[in-house]
Amino acid sequence: KMPWSCNIRADLIDYELLKRMKKLGLAQIFIGIESGSQRILDEIYNKRLNLENIENSINIASELRLNIRASCMIGAPTETRSEIKQTIKFINRLHIDEIVCYITTPFPKTKLYEKTKKYINKKFYEFDYYKEPVYASAPIFTNRLYLRWIKRIVLLKFYMVPKRLFIILHLFFKKTG
């Protein structure tokens, strides 16, 4: 009955699987949403995911009362401001407890790297998916400060909802109390 967590792909989630995992102590899942734009999921990340599948998977985990951590990425090559707004709206519509937002960074020898290397304007040793954009596909996304600002907007819009603020405060006082 020791609580544990796992990373899981949305396309692998089904109710019976998560139900069995929960009986074995699963308390939290970490799921990569990546983007709220189907075009970015298909053309850039090639994740074989669709937004409806992601939403259904999160609903299943929520129904089982699992803690749901999710991640998204911003700054993909050819991504537009409108697509970032789609991502923000999408993650805020979902029953997620925590969100992490990264700057899209491909690692050498990965499919993403091979597919998007024509857009990369940095050396590998300069990559930092928390702070530094590596793509030069759109001038707006090469600006480190702009992407940091967008990450803050993603997090603020997600966490500044009364329900989520209550959860954060509850967890904070539970851990410190």
Side-chain angles (χ1 to χ4, degrees):
K1 293 291 180 177
M2 181 184 300
W4 54 280
S5 65
C6 71
N7 296 351
I8 193 164
R9 287 180 51 104
D11 58 340
L12 299 178
I13 291 177
D14 69 52
Y15 184 83
E16 289 304 316
L17 172 67
L18 282 187
K19 187 176 174 182
R20 284 183 289 172
M21 291 169 74
K22 184 174 180 176
K23 282 183 181 179
L24 296 171
L26 179 65
Q28 175 178 272
I29 65 167
F30 188 63
I31 186 169
I33 293 171
E34 317 309 5
S35 177
S37 162
Q38 191 63 54
R39 183 189 76 82
I40 294 294
L41 288 174
D42 294 342
E43 294 178 18
I44 304 300
Y45 299 138
N46 194 27
K47 291 285 190 171
R48 300 178 317 276
L49 294 174
N50 64 56
L51 299 174
E52 183 180 337
N53 181 262
I54 293 168
E55 189 166 4
N56 290 339
S57 296
I58 288 172
N59 287 340
I60 289 169
S62 179
E63 184 180 323
L64 290 167
R65 299 189 191 283
L66 293 169
N67 181 276
I68 304 164
R69 289 190 76 207
S71 65
C72 67
M73 298 189 289
I74 58 169
T78 74
E79 184 175 40
T80 66
R81 286 182 181 179
S82 173
E83 288 170 319
I84 289 175
K85 287 178 184 177
Q86 287 174 18
T87 298
I88 293 169
K89 285 180 184 175
F90 184 63
I91 63 175
N92 282 299
R93 196 173 78 222
L94 301 172
H95 301 286
I96 300 170
D97 299 299
E98 300 173 62
I99 191 79
V100 180
C101 183
Y102 300 110
I103 294 174
T104 303
T105 304
F107 291 95
K109 307 291 183 193
T110 63
K111 289 179 184 177
L112 181 60
Y113 183 88
E114 293 304 318
K115 184 175 191 167
T116 63
K117 64 183 171 186
K118 64 184 173 194
Y119 299 111
I120 297 171
N121 69 346
K122 294 202 182 288
K123 303 288 184 212
F124 176 67
Y125 59 83
E126 298 175 298
F127 284 20
D128 180 341
Y129 73 115
Y130 293 109
K131 298 177 186 168
E132 299 294 329
V134 299
Y135 293 114
S137 60
I140 195 160
F141 296 130
T142 59
N143 183 326
R144 171 174 60 106
L145 296 177
Y146 178 77
L147 279 178
R148 280 184 168 170
W149 180 75
I150 292 293
K151 279 177 59 174
R152 286 187 179 110
I153 296 296
V154 168
L155 296 173
L156 283 171
K157 286 190 178 240
F158 182 82
Y159 285 110
M160 297 312 275
V161 173
K163 178 184 111 178
R164 291 193 182 109
L165 278 174
F166 175 76
I167 291 168
I168 292 168
L169 291 172
H170 175 74
L171 289 172
F172 175 77
F173 287 113
K174 183 178 176 181
K175 289 180 181 180
T176 60

